[in-house]
Amino acid sequence: MTQHRLASNDPRYAEVVDFMLYEAELLDDLRERQWLTELVSREIVYQVPVRETVERARGFGFSADSFHLNENLGSLESRVARGETRYAWAEDPPSRVRHFVTNIRVDRSDDEDLLDARTNILIYRTRQDQTNPQMLSGERRDVLRREDGQLKLLQRVVYLDLTVIGTHNLSLFF
């Protein structure tokens, strides 16, 4: 499909920015159920591939076959449901998380219901009485689809900058 970058004054660009900011608010406020039901498509593909340290000639530097996370609606639903129980010990009390979403670039495709968005992400996370925060940075490549007049997250691939993730779990959402 042919893609075309949207200008920042395009109403579709503003709609994507609003989507991204609202999504960050929901995730920061631990309203994961609301995020899942309002903003995520039932056909979601949600992946965090493993980063590899390779020479430029050997490719992009991410595995096509290995993932830290390779999720669909069922597995995301299970993660959200587990967090709502008393048995999510790895996140009780919950982490304090901030999503910083920047460098939003939006492309339209030949399919008028699809928009491709690339964003830079920084997740700042603290737990309990930690004095050293955990930070995860990378690029998100999203496909948003208009469903019943509203944008929904159809696909998200997160390319982390780290080859080794120094966090106690990946129970957060990117």
Side-chain angles (χ1 to χ4, degrees):
M1 286 189 197
T2 306
Q3 295 184 333
H4 305 281
R5 182 70 33 100
L6 296 181
S8 60
N9 63 352
D10 188 300
R12 293 167 296 181
Y13 178 87
E15 186 178 17
V16 171
V17 170
D18 288 346
F19 177 96
M20 298 292 175
L21 297 177
Y22 181 55
E23 178 186 38
E25 176 185 335
L26 291 179
L27 295 175
D28 289 349
D29 291 347
L30 303 178
R31 294 186 293 173
E32 295 161 345
R33 171 71 55 199
Q34 191 175 351
W35 167 76
L36 190 62
T37 57
E38 286 184 22
L39 300 184
V40 175
S41 173
R42 299 190 58 74
E43 298 172 36
I44 184 71
V45 173
Y46 188 97
Q47 298 174 321
V48 181
V50 171
R51 185 174 192 102
E52 302 169 325
T53 302
V54 297
E55 300 83 15
R56 289 181 200 192
R58 290 186 44 214
F60 184 48
F62 289 91
S63 174
D65 304 314
S66 297
F67 301 89
H68 296 290
L69 299 171
N70 189 6
E71 311 264 9
N72 59 28
L73 184 65
S75 59
L76 290 174
E77 171 69 37
S78 293
R79 287 179 59 195
V80 169
R82 184 168 177 0
E84 293 169 338
T85 71
R86 298 183 343 205
Y87 305 106
W89 297 304
E91 279 299 310
D92 193 15
S95 293
R96 293 170 293 278
V97 178
R98 290 284 166 245
H99 289 74
F100 297 90
V101 181
T102 66
N103 298 52
I104 300 171
R105 289 98 61 207
V106 180
D107 291 322
R108 65 175 171 81
S109 67
D110 293 335
D111 183 336
E112 64 184 46
D113 288 332
L114 296 178
L115 293 168
D116 295 319
R118 291 175 67 169
T119 58
N120 293 350
I121 183 86
L122 174 66
I123 297 178
Y124 184 93
R125 178 188 198 189
T126 59
R127 272 197 45 79
Q128 298 179 354
D129 294 329
Q130 279 182 330
T131 56
N132 293 324
Q134 300 166 356
M135 289 191 278
L136 299 168
S137 66
E139 181 183 59
R140 296 188 312 196
R141 294 189 184 174
D142 296 340
V143 177
L144 302 175
R145 180 171 65 188
R146 190 165 309 284
E147 298 178 7
D148 298 323
Q150 178 183 346
L151 289 180
K152 297 269 186 161
L153 181 62
L154 177 64
Q155 180 179 1
R156 171 163 289 160
V157 180
V158 181
Y159 296 102
L160 293 176
D161 294 326
L162 303 163
T163 53
V164 176
I165 299 175
T167 183
H168 65 286
N169 67 40
L170 275 178
S171 61
L172 54 85
F173 293 97
F174 292 91

